[in-house]
Amino acid sequence: MKILIVGHFNETAQSKITRYFPQNWNVVIVPPGQEMLHHIEDCQVLIPEHIKVDPSLLATAQKLKLVQTGAGYDNVDIPACTQLGIWVANAAGVNAHAVAEHVMALMLSYYKNIPFLDHFMKSRMDEHDLEYTGSELEGKTIGIIGLGAIGKKVAAFCRVFDMTVLASARKTVVQADDLVTMTDLDTLLSTSDIVSVHVPLTEQTEHLINQEVFKKMKNTALFINTARGGIVNERDLIDALKTGELSGACLDVYESEPLPIDSELRTLSNVILTPHTAGMPDGRKFHKKRYDFFIDNIKRVQNGKAPVSRLNQLL
């Protein structure tokens, strides 16, 4: 069994990952490029961290049986894989707790002004000169766009902080408790103090969050995105943040990743940025729960079974 992992990993991360897989599996980790094309010819499993899996790539993957992604799968042409008899699966929900915790960390950092206070202390400034604004989460209303595994975790955490939780979802959600009040998107946007997006990136959700959306939000609102950068029109977001149409933003994902060094987002004082690490509780390049899931799914396919969390159906 040959597993090809394509992404940018340092030597330490590569060593951790390869040691984690069964010893009798041939695990190859390469960056995107020519070397990847050589290995894809005879791999049975592809884990595409930083590449598009499209028909041109699949044309060389003669032995491929499974494309296994993390939570997101917008980089995979699922119909093309289905046509070639290749399973596609993601790891939905595996990083839900980690991402939800990250959302709470961002919220608390923003309202408690942690980045500013940390800088203040480390700059050895006179505490008698300290002036800053802060706020509490208690009593605030959060609007969650998308109520899947991550959205539900965020909702549960927010209720512990005595927040009001609104949610908007395309699919009908059966509520087993009083944690969440389902509402339409316009109502969510106009009444929420915080808007957090938790939907996958698809043709339908690309630039779902744009100038029109920001105009409907309170100008005191905080926007959080830990889902996918392409869901947000980044230029519209920057404009809203600069004009005061939006109070602030906490971002873990971007339209272009890594976030360009000259991105204007890096210059805005009302923004907190993290480098797409919300779903990585064990470090930037290794997530034990995710690789446990990958290994179990690979074994299923190896034994002729359908993978868990499959995104297509083979005849």
Side-chain angles (χ1 to χ4, degrees):
M1 175 67 69
K2 182 174 181 179
I3 294 93
L4 177 62
I5 302 174
V6 182
H8 300 287
F9 299 89
N10 59 33
E11 289 184 9
T12 301
Q14 288 189 39
S15 178
K16 279 186 178 181
I17 293 168
T18 52
R19 286 203 309 268
Y20 204 69
F21 283 87
Q23 290 186 353
N24 60 333
W25 289 4
N26 179 18
V27 179
V28 179
I29 303 174
V30 296
Q34 287 299 119
E35 187 179 0
M36 169 198 75
L37 295 176
H38 169 72
H39 285 289
I40 204 168
E41 293 178 355
D42 62 346
C43 73
Q44 285 83 43
V45 179
L46 174 62
I47 300 175
E49 297 282 358
H50 298 108
I51 58 166
K52 291 283 186 183
V53 181
D54 54 23
S56 63
L57 185 71
L58 292 168
T60 63
Q62 300 298 318
K63 296 184 178 181
L64 192 59
K65 296 179 180 179
L66 170 66
V67 176
Q68 175 68 66
T69 73
Y73 50 88
D74 48 285
N75 58 327
V76 181
D77 188 329
I78 297 174
C81 290
T82 304
Q83 189 174 3
L84 293 170
I86 300 167
W87 286 112
V88 182
N90 72 339
V94 170
N95 66 350
H97 203 99
V99 176
E101 284 189 359
H102 200 87
V103 171
M104 300 309 297
L106 290 172
M107 263 193 279
L108 288 165
S109 294
Y110 179 83
Y111 284 110
K112 299 301 181 184
N113 227 323
I114 300 300
F116 169 78
L117 294 174
D118 177 70
H119 175 74
F120 180 91
M121 295 299 290
K122 290 176 179 174
S123 299
R124 298 178 173 83
M125 297 172 71
D126 186 344
E127 292 183 32
H128 293 96
D129 296 330
L130 177 62
E131 291 186 19
Y132 78 104
T133 56
S135 186
E136 297 178 335
L137 295 183
E138 181 184 14
K140 284 186 168 53
T141 296
I142 183 169
I144 299 172
I145 302 175
L147 202 61
I150 297 171
K152 289 176 182 176
K153 282 280 186 184
V154 172
F157 288 166
C158 288
R159 289 297 293 133
V160 174
F161 281 84
D162 292 327
M163 300 172 70
T164 298
V165 183
L166 304 179
S168 173
R170 296 190 177 210
K171 296 180 181 178
T172 302
V173 178
V174 178
Q175 289 181 235
D177 49 44
D178 297 325
L179 282 179
V180 180
T181 299
M182 301 303 297
T183 188
D184 61 274
L185 183 58
D186 283 353
T187 300
L188 181 150
L189 294 171
S190 64
T191 58
S192 296
D193 300 300
I194 304 159
V195 173
S196 189
V197 61
H198 300 284
V199 296
L201 177 59
T202 65
E203 289 182 3
Q204 290 72 37
T205 63
E206 186 173 7
H207 285 184
L208 172 71
I209 310 299
N210 52 33
Q211 182 183 43
E212 183 180 344
V213 166
F214 295 129
K215 286 184 181 298
K216 293 176 181 178
M217 293 171 62
K218 296 178 179 180
N219 59 13
T220 56
L222 170 67
F223 174 72
I224 301 174
N225 186 15
T226 55
R228 282 292 184 269
I231 296 166
V232 181
N233 183 315
E234 210 162 90
R235 184 66 257 170
D236 289 354
L237 172 61
I238 291 171
D239 289 344
L241 289 164
K242 290 174 67 176
T243 60
E245 196 168 54
L246 191 63
S247 177
C250 296
L251 308 171
D252 184 58
V253 290
Y254 313 94
E255 281 195 285
S256 177
E257 294 185 1
L259 181 66
I261 296 299
D262 61 353
S263 169
E264 201 167 358
L265 287 169
R266 296 181 185 268
T267 69
L268 301 179
S269 61
N270 55 345
V271 177
I272 295 177
L273 307 174
T274 55
H276 203 150
T277 52
M280 297 289 177
D282 308 307
R284 179 66 181 91
K285 295 296 185 182
F286 185 75
H287 183 344
K288 182 179 180 298
K289 286 183 181 178
R290 186 168 73 161
Y291 281 101
D292 283 340
F293 184 94
F294 288 176
I295 290 169
D296 288 343
N297 245 7
I298 293 168
K299 288 179 177 178
R300 287 182 65 87
V301 173
Q302 192 177 28
N303 293 325
K305 298 178 181 178
V308 175
S309 195
R310 63 182 180 271
L311 300 170
N312 61 349
Q313 181 60 54
L314 304 184
L315 298 176

